[in-house]
Amino acid sequence: MCHFDFYGIMKDMPIISAEEYELAVFRLEKLTDAAPGTEEAKELKVLTRLIAAFEYNRLPTSPD
């Protein structure tokens, strides 16, 4: 089950599955032109942080 309700209120919960990650990235792409100060801009900020956290913790990284 997804923790996100993109058509209502987005819940500030971590992304825990690949399915949620894909949904979050899809929604992020839809919000890239959000006007500052709007609910969409707030959602964009939260999604960016949640996606970054998921990628940092779950996706493989290349050695430096």
Side-chain angles (χ1 to χ4, degrees), residues 22-52:
E22 293 298 324
L23 288 170
V25 169
F26 178 78
R27 179 64 178 160
L28 181 84
E29 291 170 353
K30 299 292 184 188
L31 295 171
T32 55
D33 294 327
T38 63
E39 288 300 314
E40 289 82 10
K42 291 177 188 177
E43 184 179 354
L44 177 63
K45 188 175 184 178
V46 171
L47 271 178
T48 300
R49 290 178 179 169
L50 293 173
I51 290 168

PDB file of all heavy atoms in Angstrom, residues 22-52:
ATOM      1  N   GLU A  22       8.605   4.974  -7.653  1.00  0.00           N
ATOM      2  CA  GLU A  22       8.185   5.297  -9.022  1.00  0.00           C
ATOM      3  C   GLU A  22       7.024   6.293  -9.020  1.00  0.00           C
ATOM      4  O   GLU A  22       7.001   7.233  -9.830  1.00  0.00           O
ATOM      5  CB  GLU A  22       7.794   4.028  -9.782  1.00  0.00           C
ATOM      6  CG  GLU A  22       8.958   3.092 -10.047  1.00  0.00           C
ATOM      7  CD  GLU A  22      10.035   3.719 -10.912  1.00  0.00           C
ATOM      8  OE1 GLU A  22       9.707   4.488 -11.831  1.00  0.00           O
ATOM      9  OE2 GLU A  22      11.219   3.433 -10.664  1.00  0.00           O
ATOM     10  N   LEU A  23       6.062   6.101  -8.135  1.00  0.00           N
ATOM     11  CA  LEU A  23       4.946   7.039  -8.029  1.00  0.00           C
ATOM     12  C   LEU A  23       5.423   8.425  -7.609  1.00  0.00           C
ATOM     13  O   LEU A  23       4.960   9.442  -8.136  1.00  0.00           O
ATOM     14  CB  LEU A  23       3.910   6.528  -7.021  1.00  0.00           C
ATOM     15  CG  LEU A  23       3.073   5.337  -7.456  1.00  0.00           C
ATOM     16  CD1 LEU A  23       2.280   4.804  -6.269  1.00  0.00           C
ATOM     17  CD2 LEU A  23       2.149   5.726  -8.589  1.00  0.00           C
ATOM     18  N   ALA A  24       6.357   8.460  -6.670  1.00  0.00           N
ATOM     19  CA  ALA A  24       6.879   9.738  -6.193  1.00  0.00           C
ATOM     20  C   ALA A  24       7.639  10.469  -7.294  1.00  0.00           C
ATOM     21  O   ALA A  24       7.491  11.685  -7.470  1.00  0.00           O
ATOM     22  CB  ALA A  24       7.768   9.521  -4.977  1.00  0.00           C
ATOM     23  N   VAL A  25       8.446   9.752  -8.054  1.00  0.00           N
ATOM     24  CA  VAL A  25       9.191  10.372  -9.155  1.00  0.00           C
ATOM     25  C   VAL A  25       8.223  10.887 -10.221  1.00  0.00           C
ATOM     26  O   VAL A  25       8.392  11.999 -10.733  1.00  0.00           O
ATOM     27  CB  VAL A  25      10.219   9.383  -9.752  1.00  0.00           C
ATOM     28  CG1 VAL A  25      10.806   9.915 -11.047  1.00  0.00           C
ATOM     29  CG2 VAL A  25      11.313   9.095  -8.731  1.00  0.00           C
ATOM     30  N   PHE A  26       7.208  10.109 -10.523  1.00  0.00           N
ATOM     31  CA  PHE A  26       6.206  10.537 -11.497  1.00  0.00           C
ATOM     32  C   PHE A  26       5.526  11.830 -11.039  1.00  0.00           C
ATOM     33  O   PHE A  26       5.371  12.777 -11.804  1.00  0.00           O
ATOM     34  CB  PHE A  26       5.160   9.422 -11.694  1.00  0.00           C
ATOM     35  CG  PHE A  26       4.064   9.788 -12.643  1.00  0.00           C
ATOM     36  CD1 PHE A  26       4.271   9.761 -14.008  1.00  0.00           C
ATOM     37  CD2 PHE A  26       2.817  10.154 -12.170  1.00  0.00           C
ATOM     38  CE1 PHE A  26       3.257  10.097 -14.892  1.00  0.00           C
ATOM     39  CE2 PHE A  26       1.791  10.496 -13.035  1.00  0.00           C
ATOM     40  CZ  PHE A  26       2.012  10.466 -14.410  1.00  0.00           C
ATOM     41  N   ARG A  27       5.134  11.864  -9.769  1.00  0.00           N
ATOM     42  CA  ARG A  27       4.485  13.066  -9.232  1.00  0.00           C
ATOM     43  C   ARG A  27       5.458  14.248  -9.210  1.00  0.00           C
ATOM     44  O   ARG A  27       5.075  15.378  -9.534  1.00  0.00           O
ATOM     45  CB  ARG A  27       3.949  12.769  -7.831  1.00  0.00           C
ATOM     46  CG  ARG A  27       3.285  13.941  -7.177  1.00  0.00           C
ATOM     47  CD  ARG A  27       2.048  14.378  -7.928  1.00  0.00           C
ATOM     48  NE  ARG A  27       1.410  15.490  -7.230  1.00  0.00           N
ATOM     49  CZ  ARG A  27       0.560  16.337  -7.774  1.00  0.00           C
ATOM     50  NH1 ARG A  27       0.210  16.190  -9.028  1.00  0.00           N
ATOM     51  NH2 ARG A  27       0.056  17.306  -7.081  1.00  0.00           N
ATOM     52  N   LEU A  28       6.702  14.006  -8.853  1.00  0.00           N
ATOM     53  CA  LEU A  28       7.717  15.061  -8.829  1.00  0.00           C
ATOM     54  C   LEU A  28       7.847  15.708 -10.200  1.00  0.00           C
ATOM     55  O   LEU A  28       7.922  16.936 -10.318  1.00  0.00           O
ATOM     56  CB  LEU A  28       9.057  14.491  -8.385  1.00  0.00           C
ATOM     57  CG  LEU A  28      10.201  15.489  -8.300  1.00  0.00           C
ATOM     58  CD1 LEU A  28      10.161  16.199  -6.966  1.00  0.00           C
ATOM     59  CD2 LEU A  28      11.523  14.788  -8.492  1.00  0.00           C
ATOM     60  N   GLU A  29       7.859  14.905 -11.239  1.00  0.00           N
ATOM     61  CA  GLU A  29       7.962  15.427 -12.601  1.00  0.00           C
ATOM     62  C   GLU A  29       6.779  16.331 -12.932  1.00  0.00           C
ATOM     63  O   GLU A  29       6.934  17.309 -13.656  1.00  0.00           O
ATOM     64  CB  GLU A  29       8.062  14.271 -13.596  1.00  0.00           C
ATOM     65  CG  GLU A  29       9.381  13.532 -13.492  1.00  0.00           C
ATOM     66  CD  GLU A  29       9.414  12.254 -14.297  1.00  0.00           C
ATOM     67  OE1 GLU A  29       8.373  11.835 -14.847  1.00  0.00           O
ATOM     68  OE2 GLU A  29      10.502  11.647 -14.354  1.00  0.00           O
ATOM     69  N   LYS A  30       5.616  16.019 -12.404  1.00  0.00           N
ATOM     70  CA  LYS A  30       4.428  16.842 -12.652  1.00  0.00           C
ATOM     71  C   LYS A  30       4.484  18.176 -11.904  1.00  0.00           C
ATOM     72  O   LYS A  30       3.798  19.126 -12.269  1.00  0.00           O
ATOM     73  CB  LYS A  30       3.151  16.098 -12.239  1.00  0.00           C
ATOM     74  CG  LYS A  30       2.921  14.807 -12.985  1.00  0.00           C
ATOM     75  CD  LYS A  30       2.607  15.079 -14.424  1.00  0.00           C
ATOM     76  CE  LYS A  30       2.280  13.785 -15.142  1.00  0.00           C
ATOM     77  NZ  LYS A  30       2.146  13.955 -16.570  1.00  0.00           N
ATOM     78  N   LEU A  31       5.288  18.233 -10.845  1.00  0.00           N
ATOM     79  CA  LEU A  31       5.333  19.422  -9.994  1.00  0.00           C
ATOM     80  C   LEU A  31       6.518  20.345 -10.268  1.00  0.00           C
ATOM     81  O   LEU A  31       6.670  21.356  -9.587  1.00  0.00           O
ATOM     82  CB  LEU A  31       5.383  19.000  -8.518  1.00  0.00           C
ATOM     83  CG  LEU A  31       4.165  18.273  -7.990  1.00  0.00           C
ATOM     84  CD1 LEU A  31       4.450  17.729  -6.604  1.00  0.00           C
ATOM     85  CD2 LEU A  31       2.964  19.202  -7.966  1.00  0.00           C
ATOM     86  N   THR A  32       7.333  20.038 -11.236  1.00  0.00           N
ATOM     87  CA  THR A  32       8.573  20.802 -11.426  1.00  0.00           C
ATOM     88  C   THR A  32       8.348  22.279 -11.715  1.00  0.00           C
ATOM     89  O   THR A  32       9.238  23.085 -11.463  1.00  0.00           O
ATOM     90  CB  THR A  32       9.447  20.192 -12.540  1.00  0.00           C
ATOM     91  OG1 THR A  32       8.677  20.092 -13.730  1.00  0.00           O
ATOM     92  CG2 THR A  32       9.974  18.835 -12.129  1.00  0.00           C
ATOM     93  N   ASP A  33       7.208  22.664 -12.215  1.00  0.00           N
ATOM     94  CA  ASP A  33       6.931  24.075 -12.504  1.00  0.00           C
ATOM     95  C   ASP A  33       6.010  24.714 -11.467  1.00  0.00           C
ATOM     96  O   ASP A  33       5.376  25.738 -11.745  1.00  0.00           O
ATOM     97  CB  ASP A  33       6.304  24.214 -13.897  1.00  0.00           C
ATOM     98  CG  ASP A  33       7.274  23.834 -14.996  1.00  0.00           C
ATOM     99  OD1 ASP A  33       8.483  24.067 -14.824  1.00  0.00           O
ATOM    100  OD2 ASP A  33       6.832  23.303 -16.020  1.00  0.00           O
ATOM    101  N   ALA A  34       5.961  24.158 -10.275  1.00  0.00           N
ATOM    102  CA  ALA A  34       5.081  24.691  -9.228  1.00  0.00           C
ATOM    103  C   ALA A  34       5.513  26.107  -8.843  1.00  0.00           C
ATOM    104  O   ALA A  34       6.696  26.391  -8.686  1.00  0.00           O
ATOM    105  CB  ALA A  34       5.109  23.790  -8.004  1.00  0.00           C
ATOM    106  N   ALA A  35       4.548  26.981  -8.719  1.00  0.00           N
ATOM    107  CA  ALA A  35       4.825  28.360  -8.319  1.00  0.00           C
ATOM    108  C   ALA A  35       5.225  28.404  -6.845  1.00  0.00           C
ATOM    109  O   ALA A  35       4.621  27.716  -6.015  1.00  0.00           O
ATOM    110  CB  ALA A  35       3.590  29.227  -8.557  1.00  0.00           C
ATOM    111  N   PRO A  36       6.236  29.209  -6.510  1.00  0.00           N
ATOM    112  CA  PRO A  36       6.665  29.324  -5.115  1.00  0.00           C
ATOM    113  C   PRO A  36       5.504  29.732  -4.200  1.00  0.00           C
ATOM    114  O   PRO A  36       4.650  30.517  -4.582  1.00  0.00           O
ATOM    115  CB  PRO A  36       7.728  30.425  -5.156  1.00  0.00           C
ATOM    116  CG  PRO A  36       8.216  30.422  -6.577  1.00  0.00           C
ATOM    117  CD  PRO A  36       7.030  30.044  -7.415  1.00  0.00           C
ATOM    118  N   GLY A  37       5.507  29.146  -3.006  1.00  0.00           N
ATOM    119  CA  GLY A  37       4.498  29.492  -2.018  1.00  0.00           C
ATOM    120  C   GLY A  37       3.181  28.747  -2.134  1.00  0.00           C
ATOM    121  O   GLY A  37       2.292  28.940  -1.316  1.00  0.00           O
ATOM    122  N   THR A  38       3.051  27.890  -3.122  1.00  0.00           N
ATOM    123  CA  THR A  38       1.810  27.138  -3.312  1.00  0.00           C
ATOM    124  C   THR A  38       1.892  25.782  -2.615  1.00  0.00           C
ATOM    125  O   THR A  38       2.967  25.332  -2.209  1.00  0.00           O
ATOM    126  CB  THR A  38       1.530  26.904  -4.810  1.00  0.00           C
ATOM    127  OG1 THR A  38       2.598  26.099  -5.344  1.00  0.00           O
ATOM    128  CG2 THR A  38       1.447  28.211  -5.573  1.00  0.00           C
ATOM    129  N   GLU A  39       0.751  25.140  -2.479  1.00  0.00           N
ATOM    130  CA  GLU A  39       0.726  23.788  -1.915  1.00  0.00           C
ATOM    131  C   GLU A  39       1.547  22.831  -2.775  1.00  0.00           C
ATOM    132  O   GLU A  39       2.207  21.935  -2.254  1.00  0.00           O
ATOM    133  CB  GLU A  39      -0.712  23.291  -1.780  1.00  0.00           C
ATOM    134  CG  GLU A  39      -1.491  23.980  -0.677  1.00  0.00           C
ATOM    135  CD  GLU A  39      -0.872  23.783   0.705  1.00  0.00           C
ATOM    136  OE1 GLU A  39      -0.502  22.639   1.048  1.00  0.00           O
ATOM    137  OE2 GLU A  39      -0.753  24.783   1.429  1.00  0.00           O
ATOM    138  N   GLU A  40       1.515  23.040  -4.087  1.00  0.00           N
ATOM    139  CA  GLU A  40       2.291  22.189  -4.991  1.00  0.00           C
ATOM    140  C   GLU A  40       3.783  22.361  -4.740  1.00  0.00           C
ATOM    141  O   GLU A  40       4.549  21.399  -4.787  1.00  0.00           O
ATOM    142  CB  GLU A  40       1.951  22.495  -6.452  1.00  0.00           C
ATOM    143  CG  GLU A  40       0.575  22.041  -6.869  1.00  0.00           C
ATOM    144  CD  GLU A  40      -0.533  23.009  -6.478  1.00  0.00           C
ATOM    145  OE1 GLU A  40      -0.230  24.147  -6.036  1.00  0.00           O
ATOM    146  OE2 GLU A  40      -1.705  22.630  -6.593  1.00  0.00           O
ATOM    147  N   ALA A  41       4.225  23.584  -4.466  1.00  0.00           N
ATOM    148  CA  ALA A  41       5.640  23.828  -4.174  1.00  0.00           C
ATOM    149  C   ALA A  41       6.050  23.145  -2.871  1.00  0.00           C
ATOM    150  O   ALA A  41       7.152  22.592  -2.765  1.00  0.00           O
ATOM    151  CB  ALA A  41       5.917  25.326  -4.103  1.00  0.00           C
ATOM    152  N   LYS A  42       5.166  23.160  -1.890  1.00  0.00           N
ATOM    153  CA  LYS A  42       5.444  22.469  -0.629  1.00  0.00           C
ATOM    154  C   LYS A  42       5.552  20.969  -0.861  1.00  0.00           C
ATOM    155  O   LYS A  42       6.440  20.302  -0.327  1.00  0.00           O
ATOM    156  CB  LYS A  42       4.345  22.756   0.393  1.00  0.00           C
ATOM    157  CG  LYS A  42       4.339  24.179   0.888  1.00  0.00           C
ATOM    158  CD  LYS A  42       3.172  24.400   1.835  1.00  0.00           C
ATOM    159  CE  LYS A  42       3.024  25.863   2.197  1.00  0.00           C
ATOM    160  NZ  LYS A  42       1.850  26.101   3.049  1.00  0.00           N
ATOM    161  N   GLU A  43       4.639  20.443  -1.659  1.00  0.00           N
ATOM    162  CA  GLU A  43       4.668  19.017  -1.984  1.00  0.00           C
ATOM    163  C   GLU A  43       5.953  18.664  -2.725  1.00  0.00           C
ATOM    164  O   GLU A  43       6.578  17.631  -2.453  1.00  0.00           O
ATOM    165  CB  GLU A  43       3.446  18.645  -2.822  1.00  0.00           C
ATOM    166  CG  GLU A  43       3.333  17.180  -3.119  1.00  0.00           C
ATOM    167  CD  GLU A  43       2.104  16.832  -3.937  1.00  0.00           C
ATOM    168  OE1 GLU A  43       1.251  17.701  -4.200  1.00  0.00           O
ATOM    169  OE2 GLU A  43       2.004  15.659  -4.335  1.00  0.00           O
ATOM    170  N   LEU A  44       6.365  19.524  -3.653  1.00  0.00           N
ATOM    171  CA  LEU A  44       7.604  19.315  -4.406  1.00  0.00           C
ATOM    172  C   LEU A  44       8.798  19.230  -3.461  1.00  0.00           C
ATOM    173  O   LEU A  44       9.655  18.351  -3.596  1.00  0.00           O
ATOM    174  CB  LEU A  44       7.790  20.456  -5.412  1.00  0.00           C
ATOM    175  CG  LEU A  44       9.066  20.460  -6.235  1.00  0.00           C
ATOM    176  CD1 LEU A  44       9.152  19.241  -7.129  1.00  0.00           C
ATOM    177  CD2 LEU A  44       9.142  21.731  -7.058  1.00  0.00           C
ATOM    178  N   LYS A  45       8.862  20.119  -2.491  1.00  0.00           N
ATOM    179  CA  LYS A  45       9.964  20.135  -1.530  1.00  0.00           C
ATOM    180  C   LYS A  45      10.004  18.845  -0.708  1.00  0.00           C
ATOM    181  O   LYS A  45      11.068  18.238  -0.538  1.00  0.00           O
ATOM    182  CB  LYS A  45       9.816  21.343  -0.614  1.00  0.00           C
ATOM    183  CG  LYS A  45      10.969  21.583   0.299  1.00  0.00           C
ATOM    184  CD  LYS A  45      10.752  22.887   1.066  1.00  0.00           C
ATOM    185  CE  LYS A  45      11.926  23.218   1.932  1.00  0.00           C
ATOM    186  NZ  LYS A  45      11.751  24.483   2.640  1.00  0.00           N
ATOM    187  N   VAL A  46       8.842  18.417  -0.227  1.00  0.00           N
ATOM    188  CA  VAL A  46       8.777  17.192   0.571  1.00  0.00           C
ATOM    189  C   VAL A  46       9.140  15.982  -0.281  1.00  0.00           C
ATOM    190  O   VAL A  46       9.931  15.128   0.136  1.00  0.00           O
ATOM    191  CB  VAL A  46       7.378  17.022   1.208  1.00  0.00           C
ATOM    192  CG1 VAL A  46       7.231  15.648   1.841  1.00  0.00           C
ATOM    193  CG2 VAL A  46       7.127  18.119   2.223  1.00  0.00           C
ATOM    194  N   LEU A  47       8.585  15.903  -1.474  1.00  0.00           N
ATOM    195  CA  LEU A  47       8.882  14.768  -2.355  1.00  0.00           C
ATOM    196  C   LEU A  47      10.360  14.693  -2.692  1.00  0.00           C
ATOM    197  O   LEU A  47      10.938  13.605  -2.725  1.00  0.00           O
ATOM    198  CB  LEU A  47       8.086  14.885  -3.658  1.00  0.00           C
ATOM    199  CG  LEU A  47       6.711  14.265  -3.668  1.00  0.00           C
ATOM    200  CD1 LEU A  47       6.033  14.517  -5.003  1.00  0.00           C
ATOM    201  CD2 LEU A  47       6.761  12.787  -3.385  1.00  0.00           C
ATOM    202  N   THR A  48      10.981  15.846  -2.937  1.00  0.00           N
ATOM    203  CA  THR A  48      12.407  15.874  -3.252  1.00  0.00           C
ATOM    204  C   THR A  48      13.211  15.256  -2.120  1.00  0.00           C
ATOM    205  O   THR A  48      14.118  14.440  -2.353  1.00  0.00           O
ATOM    206  CB  THR A  48      12.873  17.315  -3.526  1.00  0.00           C
ATOM    207  OG1 THR A  48      12.132  17.826  -4.632  1.00  0.00           O
ATOM    208  CG2 THR A  48      14.345  17.370  -3.836  1.00  0.00           C
ATOM    209  N   ARG A  49      12.884  15.612  -0.902  1.00  0.00           N
ATOM    210  CA  ARG A  49      13.599  15.069   0.263  1.00  0.00           C
ATOM    211  C   ARG A  49      13.341  13.578   0.438  1.00  0.00           C
ATOM    212  O   ARG A  49      14.256  12.812   0.742  1.00  0.00           O
ATOM    213  CB  ARG A  49      13.193  15.830   1.517  1.00  0.00           C
ATOM    214  CG  ARG A  49      13.723  17.240   1.526  1.00  0.00           C
ATOM    215  CD  ARG A  49      13.274  17.988   2.742  1.00  0.00           C
ATOM    216  NE  ARG A  49      13.832  19.335   2.721  1.00  0.00           N
ATOM    217  CZ  ARG A  49      13.456  20.285   3.533  1.00  0.00           C
ATOM    218  NH1 ARG A  49      12.517  20.051   4.436  1.00  0.00           N
ATOM    219  NH2 ARG A  49      14.004  21.474   3.468  1.00  0.00           N
ATOM    220  N   LEU A  50      12.095  13.161   0.260  1.00  0.00           N
ATOM    221  CA  LEU A  50      11.767  11.744   0.417  1.00  0.00           C
ATOM    222  C   LEU A  50      12.451  10.893  -0.651  1.00  0.00           C
ATOM    223  O   LEU A  50      12.969   9.810  -0.357  1.00  0.00           O
ATOM    224  CB  LEU A  50      10.259  11.546   0.361  1.00  0.00           C
ATOM    225  CG  LEU A  50       9.456  12.132   1.520  1.00  0.00           C
ATOM    226  CD1 LEU A  50       7.958  12.003   1.239  1.00  0.00           C
ATOM    227  CD2 LEU A  50       9.823  11.481   2.831  1.00  0.00           C
ATOM    228  N   ILE A  51      12.467  11.376  -1.881  1.00  0.00           N
ATOM    229  CA  ILE A  51      13.124  10.650  -2.976  1.00  0.00           C
ATOM    230  C   ILE A  51      14.626  10.574  -2.735  1.00  0.00           C
ATOM    231  O   ILE A  51      15.242   9.518  -2.903  1.00  0.00           O
ATOM    232  CB  ILE A  51      12.802  11.304  -4.333  1.00  0.00           C
ATOM    233  CG1 ILE A  51      11.335  11.057  -4.687  1.00  0.00           C
ATOM    234  CG2 ILE A  51      13.722  10.775  -5.427  1.00  0.00           C
ATOM    235  CD1 ILE A  51      10.830  11.883  -5.852  1.00  0.00           C
ATOM    236  N   ALA A  52      15.227  11.691  -2.324  1.00  0.00           N
ATOM    237  CA  ALA A  52      16.667  11.705  -2.055  1.00  0.00           C
ATOM    238  C   ALA A  52      17.020  10.718  -0.943  1.00  0.00           C
ATOM    239  O   ALA A  52      18.019   9.989  -1.040  1.00  0.00           O
ATOM    240  CB  ALA A  52      17.120  13.109  -1.689  1.00  0.00           C
TER     241      ALA A  52
END
